[in-house]
Amino acid sequence: MDWLTEHKIPLGAGARVVLDWLQVNGAGFFDGLSEAMEGLIDGILWILQTPNPLIIIALFTALTWVLQRNWKICAFVALGFLFIVNQGYWEETTESLTLVLSACVVCMAVGMPIGIAAAHRPKLYTALRPILDLMQTLPTFVYLIPAIVFFGIGMVPGLIATVIFVLPAPIRLTHLGVVSTPTALLEAADAFGATKWQKLAKVELPYAFPQIMAGLNQTIMLSLSMVVIAALVGADGLGVPVVRALNRVDTALGFESGFIIVVVAIILDRMLRVEAKR
């Protein structure tokens, strides 16, 4: 088998050549993208950190009431955030929420149009499927390498790596929702003379709304799962104390910060669960 290994396909070397070429020729694009992402992150972070924590907790509780209409879930959300404040992790939590919300904005803004286009063009979805599979199965640490090369250290490379990992979820679920629209509804819309845009806005998207909301829920949960990994490239948030606890072998700090991440995940899931079923 030595003859086979002697003629190794230069996969890694080829990837390095591509990255080097992009770094030299795409500097303007990546700088502009970095500035846009930094603006989005700074804006959300300012909204979450400027007011008193109790005001933000009240707003999240009110949003939960609008989505759920269940006082028990509202009480759970309020108590969960108060517990986070009690443990002294409010700043880290807002930083992680900033990363999650930024990823949601980018992923839904990009994923929904791609999912809709793929639903109307089966060949496009066939071409996208292996790419989406690659994005979801490639180890997430691999995304950190080009993210650092193009965007340096900080929140932006963490956001970019998160978006690459999470993006397939809204694309797949939006595609599933649109293609699942019953043929009878589409034929009825055609019979009434609806245009393609009218069918999309008044038939397909309303029918696909539960799947789209499920995609949003998955986007949030998957983004939150990237918090610790994003901390490895300098992203602030709840991943920082987890990494610090790992380096120090600090069991108390690791359990404390890990439990806070679980609380945040449960809070966000309960807030969106009923909305995803509508």
Side-chain angles (χ1 to χ4, degrees), residues 51-100:
N52 187 282
L54 295 179
I55 296 176
I56 299 299
I57 293 173
L59 291 176
F60 270 99
T61 305
L63 178 61
T64 303
W65 173 257
V66 172
L67 298 176
Q68 302 287 344
R69 300 292 179 177
N70 188 321
W71 70 268
K72 294 180 181 179
I73 298 178
C74 292
F76 172 79
V77 170
L79 290 175
F81 278 121
L82 289 174
F83 173 76
I84 292 171
V85 174
N86 171 263
Q87 295 296 302
Y89 283 90
W90 179 251
E91 182 177 353
E92 291 85 355
T93 299
T94 56
E95 290 167 347
S96 292
L97 286 175
T98 297
L99 181 63
V100 170

Side-chain angles (χ1 to χ4, degrees), residues 84-248:
I84 292 171
V85 174
N86 171 263
Q87 295 296 302
Y89 283 90
W90 179 251
E91 182 177 353
E92 291 85 355
T93 299
T94 56
E95 290 167 347
S96 292
L97 286 175
T98 297
L99 181 63
V100 170
L101 293 176
S102 300
C104 286
V105 170
V106 176
C107 288
M108 297 307 292
V110 175
M112 279 187 59
I114 294 177
I116 293 170
H120 291 97
R121 298 171 178 81
K123 291 183 179 179
L124 174 61
Y125 186 68
T126 301
L128 284 176
R129 187 180 300 170
I131 300 175
L132 299 178
D133 292 340
L134 178 66
M135 293 168 66
Q136 287 186 308
T137 56
L138 197 67
T140 51
F141 289 98
V142 177
Y143 300 141
L144 301 181
I145 300 172
I148 294 174
V149 170
F150 295 136
F151 303 102
I153 300 295
M155 291 286 281
V156 173
L159 174 59
I160 297 299
T162 300
V163 167
I164 295 174
F165 176 67
V166 175
L167 188 58
I171 293 177
R172 290 184 187 276
L173 287 169
T174 300
H175 169 267
L176 177 63
V178 174
V179 298
S180 299
T181 305
T183 304
L185 290 179
L186 297 176
E187 291 177 348
D190 289 331
F192 282 100
T195 64
K196 292 183 178 180
W197 286 106
Q198 289 174 331
K199 284 197 299 182
L200 176 64
K202 298 183 178 181
V203 179
E204 294 175 331
L205 287 182
Y207 189 86
F209 185 72
Q211 292 290 345
I212 293 174
M213 290 308 302
L216 176 60
N217 189 289
Q218 286 296 305
T219 299
I220 292 174
M221 293 298 107
L222 291 172
S223 299
L224 198 56
S225 71
M226 288 287 291
V227 164
V228 177
I229 296 176
L232 297 177
V233 293
D236 298 324
L238 292 170
V240 174
V242 174
V243 174
R244 189 180 300 126
L246 181 62
N247 292 332
R248 298 177 182 175

Side-chain angles (χ1 to χ4, degrees), residues 1-9:
M1 298 295 292
D2 293 339
W3 62 271
L4 186 59
T5 57
E6 289 176 358
H7 302 282
K8 180 180 177 180
I9 298 175

